[in-house]
Amino acid sequence: KLCEGILNILEKDTKTSCQVACLETLRILSRDKKVLVPVTTKRNMQILMKLAKLDTVEDPLERVSEFPVIVEALKCLCNIIFNSAVAQKLSLELNLAAMLCNLLEKCKDQQFVGDIKCFDLRLLFLLSLLHTDIRSQLRQELQGVQVLTQALESSLSVRWTEEYKTVEDNDRPPLSLQETDCAIEALKALFNVTLDSWNVHSENESHQFRYMAAILRHCLLTTGPTEDKTEELHSNTINLLSNVPVSCLDVLISPSSQEETDIKYNGMNMGAIQVLLDFMEKRIDKGSSYKEGLTPVLSLLTGCCRTHRNIRKFIKAQVLPPLRDVSNRPEVGTTVRNKLVRLMTHVDLGVKQIAAEFLFVLCKERVDSLLKYTGYGNAAGLLAARGLLAGGRGDHWYSDDEDTDTEEYKSAKPNINLITGHLEEPMPNPMDEMTEEQKEYEAMKLVNMFDKLSRDELIKPMGVRPDGTMAPLEEAVSQYHTNKQDSSDSD
């Protein structure tokens, strides 16, 4: 009854202060799904859209006194659409997404509209999240990628020096809270609209994604008002970068001029890549929520390293520098390599796979190089999954530059335990003092133990096929015998 009464008042022309008070009340009520039935009708949704200035295509936003009403109406619509499936369907029927894009255009180059823009973007994010038809409408009919990219650009006050290069001002102040929130909402909406954008089909699409990637690079090099807000901004930037076709990510690095950042490699500015590496290490150190917090940045870095040689070489120099001290196991220590190797045996399958894949790509998908940095025990899961237990390398092509081993590593190499990946003192052989009968007794005892475990189906003996994949032991042995017979010369 209260909701209906409020909407009846809002339908009439009343004072601005009265409209704001009614909308504030409705915003609080609209958090409760049980009272939304009278609100989610076509008539009442249109009342709120009118108050949010979504029904006027031509009228500019001129009367500043009306801005609080517009903001409160947008907040109400956010709550209602988030909590009601009926409202989500009505928003498609009422063409709400197109009206929001139009309001976003009106906010361009307009003062004092930060809150309007922020909640407009939030509503677009919610619509594109909750209704797939609206997502495709935004992408195909409303040029949503372009509209949202422009909104992101204006929130960050981006200035350009070249086509895909923004001005880098190391002395610029951090973004305000409102600017940061607007940027975050734009990033989230763009993420939904650009889902499934792995392939670029035209030159225009390629330009659009490169343009977006250049703005996202600017995001990575920008700080918010607090450390938490900066992390949230960078997190959403990384999520969106994961949707950008990997061929367009070359704009994350650019030829470096003298006055720019000190983070350079081969004459290229690597500032944005360094931010990604720092973000990755910070998320590892956090020690929780790896699935949501860590896998996007690891996946992004893996894709960049696989496709762009300069990025891979810069990251490898930091994550897998030439080995000198091999006295400790690869997973023991505080370096980035140690932290990533520990993740290779994480309980979460997705986390350990992407961590192992990242290190494998840094090693140019060469098994011998991966084993050098991680040890066979840590790498076994990845190699088994990729069918590379017999050695070799992955399918991807990489440049032929060779790794250079340090003198310390070369001298220690003969004594490195291949399973654990570190230097071990030679252990006394327990069989040296045994007689032949004792050796035979111990061997038969071991065979019987394995036989019992196998018959009770507690373990299943496995072997490695000639192609490097795992198979039951009998099958693997028979394949080796077959291959041996086929390859032997016979008259």
Side-chain angles (χ1 to χ4, degrees):
K1 283 180 180 178
L2 181 55
C3 281
E4 285 174 340
I6 288 169
L7 286 160
N8 287 333
I9 295 168
L10 289 170
E11 195 175 15
K12 302 166 188 171
D13 285 329
T14 55
K15 290 181 180 177
T16 301
S17 57
C18 178
Q19 288 179 330
V20 171
C22 288
L23 287 166
E24 284 175 343
T25 309
L26 188 62
R27 169 166 55 86
I28 295 164
L29 289 167
S30 62
R31 295 171 187 165
D32 187 348
K33 295 180 183 182
K34 294 172 187 174
V35 302
L36 283 177
V37 176
V39 185
T40 52
T41 64
K42 195 169 183 179
R43 167 186 166 268
N44 289 337
M45 288 281 284
Q46 284 173 325
I47 291 170
L48 291 172
M49 287 165 64
K50 184 179 178 182
L51 290 166
K53 296 293 180 189
L54 293 171
D55 62 334
T56 54
V57 178
E58 300 299 330
D59 295 349
L61 297 172
E62 288 178 343
R63 295 174 62 184
V64 178
S65 60
E66 292 180 344
F67 288 4
V69 175
I70 298 172
V71 171
E72 285 300 326
L74 286 170
K75 287 179 182 179
C76 288
L77 285 168
C78 284
N79 283 355
I80 292 162
I81 284 166
F82 181 71
N83 285 317
S84 170
V86 176
Q88 291 158 28
K89 288 178 183 174
L90 274 172
S91 61
L92 186 62
E93 188 183 329
L94 295 167
N95 206 16
L96 181 57
M99 294 178 182
L100 287 165
C101 288
N102 182 55
L103 181 61
L104 211 52
E105 286 289 325
K106 289 182 190 176
C107 290
K108 201 189 292 181
D109 305 322
Q110 187 89 1
Q111 285 188 318
F112 314 117
V113 293
D115 283 338
I116 296 174
K117 184 178 171 183
C118 191
F119 287 104
D120 186 314
L121 288 165
R122 183 169 297 178
L123 199 43
L124 279 170
F125 160 67
L126 288 170
L127 287 171
S128 58
L129 173 72
L130 299 166
H131 210 300
T132 51
D133 289 342
I134 291 176
R135 191 184 304 166
S136 57
Q137 183 195 12
L138 275 166
R139 186 166 55 233
Q140 293 161 14
E141 296 172 29
L142 303 173
Q143 283 83 45
V145 174
Q146 192 174 340
V147 170
L148 290 166
T149 303
Q150 286 172 353
L152 175 63
E153 184 182 346
S154 66
S155 299
L156 298 166
S157 304
V158 174
R159 291 178 295 127
W160 299 90
T161 56
E162 297 171 24
E163 187 177 23
Y164 301 125
K165 190 175 179 183
T166 62
V167 174
E168 284 189 37
D169 182 7
N170 296 326
D171 298 323
R172 68 175 178 268
L175 294 176
S176 69
L177 183 60
Q178 191 180 70
E179 288 169 334
T180 309
D181 284 339
C182 271
I184 288 168
E185 295 301 334
L187 289 166
K188 285 154 61 177
L190 271 168
F191 176 81
N192 291 339
V193 176
T194 56
L195 278 171
D196 311 318
S197 300
W198 299 106
N199 296 315
V200 170
H201 300 295
S202 69
E203 194 174 318
N204 185 47
E205 276 185 317
S206 175
H207 164 72
Q208 201 157 25
F209 278 114
R210 282 174 185 277
Y211 188 76
M212 186 198 296
I215 296 171
L216 296 179
R217 179 181 180 275
H218 186 86
C219 275
L220 290 173
L221 298 173
T222 301
T223 55
T226 63
E227 194 175 331
D228 286 345
K229 273 293 174 187
T230 302
E231 188 175 342
E232 189 182 352
L233 177 69
H234 290 173
S235 177
N236 282 288
T237 303
I238 288 162
N239 290 342
L240 181 52
L241 277 168
S242 302
N243 285 354
V244 175
V246 74
S247 59
C248 300
L249 292 177
D250 55 339
V251 299
L252 289 178
I253 59 175
S254 59
S256 179
S257 59
Q258 196 63 38
E259 60 275 2
E260 282 180 352
T261 177
D262 293 332
I263 304 167
K264 301 174 188 175
Y265 185 85
N266 275 357
M268 306 298 282
N269 183 334
M270 292 288 177
I273 305 300
Q274 186 62 56
V275 171
L276 292 175
L277 281 172
D278 294 342
F279 183 91
M280 176 195 74
E281 189 170 6
K282 191 174 181 181
R283 284 293 168 95
I284 294 174
D285 292 342
K286 205 172 182 180
S288 62
S289 304
Y290 282 153
K291 189 101 177 162
E292 301 80 22
L294 179 63
T295 52
V297 67
L298 273 177
S299 180
L300 174 65
L301 287 171
T302 304
C304 287
C305 291
R306 187 175 269 126
T307 310
H308 303 291
R309 182 170 177 261
N310 273 327
I311 295 177
R312 175 177 55 78
K313 293 185 79 175
F314 172 74
I315 291 175
K316 186 178 181 183
Q318 298 204 51
V319 176
L320 298 178
L323 285 176
R324 298 184 186 281
D325 181 11
V326 286
S327 58
N328 291 323
R329 289 172 177 253
E331 66 270 25
V332 175
T334 57
T335 66
V336 185
R337 174 177 78 107
N338 304 143
K339 294 171 184 178
L340 285 165
V341 172
R342 284 199 287 273
L343 289 178
M344 292 176 80
T345 52
H346 195 269
V347 290
D348 188 300
L349 186 63
V351 172
K352 78 175 185 179
Q353 280 179 340
I354 192 62
E357 186 79 11
F358 175 53
L359 291 172
F360 194 41
V361 169
L362 287 183
C363 295
K364 296 191 285 189
E365 299 192 20
R366 282 171 39 197
V367 172
D368 57 340
S369 180
L370 180 71
L371 297 181
K372 180 173 87 174
Y373 287 105
T374 68
Y376 199 92
N378 292 313
L382 172 79
L383 300 181
R386 296 284 291 264
L388 292 168
L389 284 167
R393 66 186 301 166
D395 300 329
H396 201 79
W397 181 86
Y398 293 89
S399 57
D400 292 331
D401 55 305
E402 292 299 321
D403 293 323
T404 52
D405 290 338
T406 61
E407 291 301 321
E408 296 94 327
Y409 178 77
K410 285 178 182 175
S411 61
K413 192 174 179 180
N415 298 318
I416 292 175
N417 183 324
L418 295 177
I419 302 298
T420 60
H422 82 299
L423 190 64
E424 290 184 352
E425 293 297 324
M427 299 289 287
N429 188 343
M431 299 183 74
D432 284 347
E433 298 177 4
M434 286 186 184
T435 63
E436 290 302 316
E437 290 79 8
Q438 285 175 314
K439 290 177 185 177
E440 189 173 342
Y441 171 76
E442 291 295 335
M444 288 309 300
K445 186 176 170 184
L446 190 61
V447 167
N448 290 331
M449 287 165 66
F450 273 116
D451 183 52
K452 186 175 186 308
L453 287 169
S454 179
R455 277 188 284 106
D456 293 344
E457 295 188 350
L458 293 170
I459 64 167
K460 187 172 186 179
M462 304 289 282
V464 182
R465 293 193 188 105
D467 65 358
T469 56
M470 297 285 284
L473 191 58
E474 301 85 354
E475 185 185 326
V477 171
S478 68
Q479 279 200 18
Y480 268 110
H481 285 314
T482 305
N483 282 9
K484 194 171 181 182
Q485 287 170 5
D486 290 345
S487 62
S488 62
D489 295 327
S490 57
D491 295 328

